[in-house]
Amino acid sequence: GIQVEQSPPDLILQEGANSTLRCNFSDSVNNLQWFHQNPWGQLINLFYIPSGTKQNGRLSATTVATERYSLLYISSSQTTDSGVYFCAVARTGYSTLTFGKGTMLLVSP
Amino acid sequence: GAVVSQHPSRVICKSGTSVKIECRSLDFQATTMFWYRQFPKQSLMLMATSNEGSKATYEQGVEKDKFLINHASLTLSTLTVTSAHPEDSSFYICSAGGALKETQYFGPGTRLLVL
């Protein structure tokens, strides 16, 4: 199956700082999503981004499919950004997702 | 956006009892729903894919007689943990495919503690 590696595994930031989270995957994919799991366990869709660049407020993501990686950028981080960020991929558009191990982010005030 | 609910949000039960968890897509129809399991500080592991009107597809290593899945309608899938034991304690999360079939929307999860 596809291997998904996320880095860094843990990240501690001061409020207001910027950060970049990385997701590497081992095979061609047609589906890549970024999720934020809040401290209560709820997964929130951030981006569906099998290729290209998208932005949503302070968050943006870029996937370079040919080089098999995706980046999630968080700018001007806030304490509410704390939680675990997961990258998940699938070979086809609507097949099962394979999740990375996540990046645990803690933003301190 | 698409909303998926789960019930109950948490359950504590005695060893040997069965527990049913419901997953509902509230504002869209989902022909496919997915059930995941997550241990503390670990990633999500897919347990099974639930298809409306047909048998679920289980991932390797997941006991289908232990984790019964029923997808009776386009908005409801249930996971029953039969004869639960302490090692079944975990966070169970469902997801449903949205109108854009490539995306999955996740329920809030169910925390199961088996004593």
Side-chain angles (χ1 to χ4, degrees), chain A residues 2 6 13 47 59-60 65 87:
Chain A
I2 299 178
Q6 290 187 244
L13 297 175
F47 294 103
L59 301 181
S60 63
C87 167

Side-chain angles (χ1 to χ4, degrees), chain A:
Chain A
I2 299 178
Q3 305 300 311
V4 183
E5 292 183 3
Q6 290 187 244
S7 60
D10 303 281
L11 186 59
I12 300 175
L13 297 175
Q14 200 79 20
E15 200 168 24
N18 303 327
S19 63
T20 301
L21 282 57
R22 187 177 179 103
C23 172
N24 292 333
F25 42 95
S26 62
D27 204 346
S28 300
V29 299
N30 282 318
N31 186 343
L32 188 148
Q33 298 180 50
W34 283 97
F35 298 92
H36 174 217
Q37 187 171 37
N38 66 24
W40 295 270
Q42 173 75 64
L43 275 100
I44 300 164
N45 298 63
L46 298 178
F47 294 103
Y48 166 73
I49 186 166
S51 64
T53 298
K54 290 186 178 179
Q55 181 161 4
N56 184 2
R58 296 182 296 104
L59 301 181
S60 63
T62 295
T63 298
V64 183
T66 53
E67 296 188 22
R68 300 181 184 172
Y69 73 88
S70 182
L71 302 173
L72 178 68
Y73 305 97
I74 305 174
S75 63
S76 304
S77 59
Q78 300 175 358
T79 56
T80 51
D81 295 331
S82 296
V84 183
Y85 289 81
F86 288 106
C87 167
V89 304
R91 282 202 180 88
T92 62
Y94 197 44
S95 61
T96 57
L97 290 172
T98 299
F99 280 75
K101 292 185 177 181
T103 292
M104 180 172 289
L105 173 65
L106 176 62
V107 181
S108 59

Side-chain angles (χ1 to χ4, degrees), chain B residues 72-109:
Chain B
S73 75
L74 289 172
T75 60
L76 173 64
S77 176
T78 60
L79 168 67
T80 301
V81 183
T82 61
S83 187
H85 291 283
E87 58 266 30
D88 298 323
S89 299
S90 190
F91 189 49
Y92 292 89
I93 311 172
C94 73
S95 71
L100 286 177
K101 289 190 173 181
E102 295 85 359
T103 59
Q104 288 186 31
Y105 297 94
F106 285 79

Side-chain angles (χ1 to χ4, degrees), chain B residues 4-25:
Chain B
V4 177
S5 70
Q6 271 185 254
H7 179 80
S9 58
R10 57 180 63 210
V11 57
I12 301 174
C13 68
K14 293 183 178 180
S15 185
T17 60
S18 294
V19 175
K20 180 185 282 188
I21 302 170
E22 292 187 350
C23 176
R24 293 181 185 271
S25 55

